Structure formats: C-alpha cells, structure tokens
Amino acid sequence: MMKPVLRIDGRGACAVSGFPMLDLPKAAWNGGMLVTTLVLAGPYFTWGAFTLFITVTYTSLLIGHSVGMHRLMIHRTFDCPKFLERALIYVGVLVGVSGPSGIIAVHDVRDWAQREPRCHDFFAHNKPLPMDLLWQLAFRFRFERPPTVDIEPHFANDPFYRFLDRTWRWHQLPLAALFYAFGGWPWVVWGVCARVIVSAAGHWTITHFCHNPGDGRWSVRNASVQASNLRGMGLLTYGECWHNNHHAFPESARIGLEPGQTDPAWRLIRLFECSGLVRNVGHPRARHEREDLIDAPPYDFVAH
C-alpha cells in the first residue's frame, strides 16, 4: 500500500483568514496567452493547426498533468524509474501551468484547506465560475496565518526539477520553434498560446464543478469541501472528473473506481505496469482503514 505524502503543516494556520491578491506574473502569463489567442486564433486558423491543438492539448494533459504531475508527483500512487518520472513531469511542465514545486504547493495547500472544517471561497470554488476562473488564473491567496509547505527532498533537491521550477515558462519556446518549422505561425498560435490557456482554464473549470455539489457516494469526515463526480466526463478529463472518489482515496492510482467510470490515465498507468516500467501501484485502502470516510460502503474494490 502506498503511504500518503504529508507536505503541509497546518499547526497555527487558518484556511479562512486572508484574501485573494493579484499575482502579476500569473496574470501576465495567462492573460497574454488569452489575448493572443482571442486576437490571432481566427486569422491564423487552419485545420492542421486545430488538429495539432486538439492532439497536443489532450496528450500533454493526459500524460503530463494527470499521470505525471497529479498521480505520480503529487500523490505518489506508483513508482517508476527516474527517467520515466522525469519525462512524465516534463510533459506536465509543457502544459504551461507551473513548475513542479509550484504545482505541488498549489495542490497541497488547496487540499489542506478543503479538508479543514472551514475554508475561504478561493479554495472552496463556490463563487460563480467567471469569478472563480479569474481568481485561479490571475490571483493568489494571501494568508494571514499560512500553513507550511515542505516538499520532500526527492523533488525539492533534484537539480532537474529545480531547473524546471526556474525556467518552466521558457520551455514553450523550443516547442514553438518546432511547431513553426512544421506549420508556421498558425501552429504556434494554436499549438502554444491556445493550448496553454485552454489547458489552464479547462483545468480550473473542471476543478470548479468537481468541488461543487453533485454526484458522489463518499464524504470525508470534518472536511468543509466535499468533491463531486461529473458523469459522462471521464474520457474528456482523463478520469480526473471522478473527484469524489479521489478525495476519498487519494492513494489510489485509479480514480474511476466504479463500472462505467472511464479513466484513460489509469489505463496508461496499467500499460506501464504491464510493461514493467511501473510498480507499487496504489489502490483504495481496505475497509478497516477508512475511518476518515462517512457512510463508506462495506466492500473492497477489486483492481483491474
């Protein structure tokens, strides 16, 4: 069984006290990608560029964000050789949201806040979607009493990941050069600018709906935010939409736990496991280890 990774020390911290404040680098990055897309996507539209956009957006989010950054780097739901770990996380960096440490910090602080008895609207995602998107794409939360984030040495001391933390935005440039060589400016506009802003906005849109009332059979004891499953969205979201399951079993590499809950990222992990590249795959913990869950059904999941 994979052990949960604890990076947050919330002693003395408060998940309510504070306020969202403008984050100029984040706002400039996402705002620049948005404005460029709105101005140039139409004039530079070609079917080849649009096909590139769809293909690279989906595969980078599937391979890099869902498998690499979320299920491997953040939750450590499986182990793999260093070369594969770095490759998966690098693809996650190419998504264009943040570097490895930034992704870990944003995720873990949010997860900590949501599991507190009360948390600010910034973390609860209960404002209307336009306001929530504005906050997530252009603001950061300034705590009055912040928690401490302690990223484990495996990532914090790795020179490759530290390099990616310093340079993550610049890695769009070689990608842009490659796209320009094959498809000119249409491929750059759609393959970089449109892809980055749609990836970021799409991520936070799914996050918004997954943390508002909806379908789900699990409740996490004393948590101020209970996650929802989004029916019919498994293929589009790589399996991340089964978020009620994920809040209950963050140690599981598989998020689509029930029949009919499509989980493409899990299928990729299983492919790696069958090829011998992945081991120690995490599954939902047994009944007697679910004291933190309310009204948990009396059965164990069967991995497949």
Side-chain angles (χ1 to χ4, degrees):
M1 172 63 68
M2 303 291 292
K3 294 183 178 180
V5 179
L6 300 176
R7 305 185 183 97
I8 298 291
D9 184 352
R11 290 174 295 182
C14 178
V16 179
S17 301
F19 57 91
M21 63 178 294
L22 185 66
D23 185 323
L24 286 176
K26 181 194 288 189
W29 175 253
N30 289 320
M33 293 295 178
L34 175 61
V35 170
T36 302
T37 300
L38 292 176
V39 172
L40 298 180
Y44 283 95
F45 176 86
T46 67
W47 285 110
F50 185 71
T51 301
L52 175 77
F53 161 75
I54 295 294
T55 303
V56 178
T57 300
Y58 190 86
T59 56
S60 62
L61 284 167
L62 168 65
I63 297 170
H65 190 77
S66 182
V67 174
M69 285 188 154
H70 190 206
R71 307 193 198 197
L72 170 61
M73 181 180 72
I74 291 173
H75 290 291
R76 303 298 290 168
T77 64
F78 62 90
D79 294 328
C80 66
K82 194 69 172 181
F83 81 88
L84 180 59
E85 175 192 287
R86 286 179 169 177
L88 292 171
I89 292 173
Y90 183 71
V91 175
V93 167
L94 293 179
V95 170
V97 174
S98 186
S101 294
I103 293 289
I104 289 174
V106 166
H107 177 281
D108 283 19
V109 169
R110 187 172 308 272
D111 187 67
W112 163 78
Q114 291 173 349
R115 291 172 186 269
E116 290 290 286
R118 294 175 59 230
C119 73
H120 193 277
D121 291 344
F122 183 85
F123 303 110
H125 300 283
N126 56 15
K127 290 293 186 182
L129 178 60
M131 175 59 75
D132 194 28
L133 275 179
L134 178 63
W135 273 357
Q136 308 309 328
L137 293 172
F139 286 68
R140 62 184 175 87
F141 192 78
R142 182 167 183 174
F143 285 97
E144 291 182 6
R145 289 178 286 158
T148 300
V149 182
D150 184 19
I151 299 175
E152 63 269 38
H154 179 89
F155 295 113
N157 296 340
D158 186 300
F160 180 64
Y161 298 139
R162 293 170 67 180
F163 167 71
L164 293 181
D165 283 330
R166 296 191 303 269
T167 63
W168 63 271
R169 292 182 179 91
W170 296 103
H171 292 272
Q172 301 300 326
L173 290 180
L175 204 57
L178 178 66
F179 292 161
Y180 181 81
F182 283 93
W185 287 114
W187 279 34
V188 175
V189 171
W190 281 90
V192 176
C193 301
R195 173 184 55 81
V196 168
I197 191 57
V198 167
S199 295
H203 165 77
W204 289 116
T205 298
I206 295 299
T207 298
H208 173 86
F209 288 111
C210 280
H211 292 98
N212 275 279
D215 182 60
R217 65 189 308 166
W218 312 95
S219 294
V220 179
R221 194 180 302 277
N222 298 325
S224 58
V225 178
Q226 302 294 338
S228 300
N229 293 328
L230 304 181
R231 294 184 182 182
M233 299 291 286
L235 183 63
L236 181 63
T237 64
Y238 339 101
E240 297 291 334
C241 67
W242 313 117
H243 219 65
N244 181 261
N245 301 345
H246 176 60
H247 270 222
F249 304 106
E251 73 279 0
S252 176
R254 181 185 176 195
I255 299 179
L257 298 174
E258 304 286 353
Q261 293 183 342
T262 306
D263 190 349
W266 164 247
R267 293 302 175 187
L268 181 58
I269 293 169
R270 282 285 292 143
L271 179 63
F272 284 140
E273 185 181 28
C274 292
S275 68
L277 288 172
V278 158
R279 62 189 184 279
N280 298 331
V281 176
H283 298 286
R285 59 196 181 279
R287 293 193 303 271
H288 66 278
E289 297 177 316
R290 298 177 187 173
E291 295 86 357
D292 60 324
L293 299 181
I294 300 172
D295 296 329
Y299 63 86
D300 289 313
F301 292 104
V302 178
H304 64 274

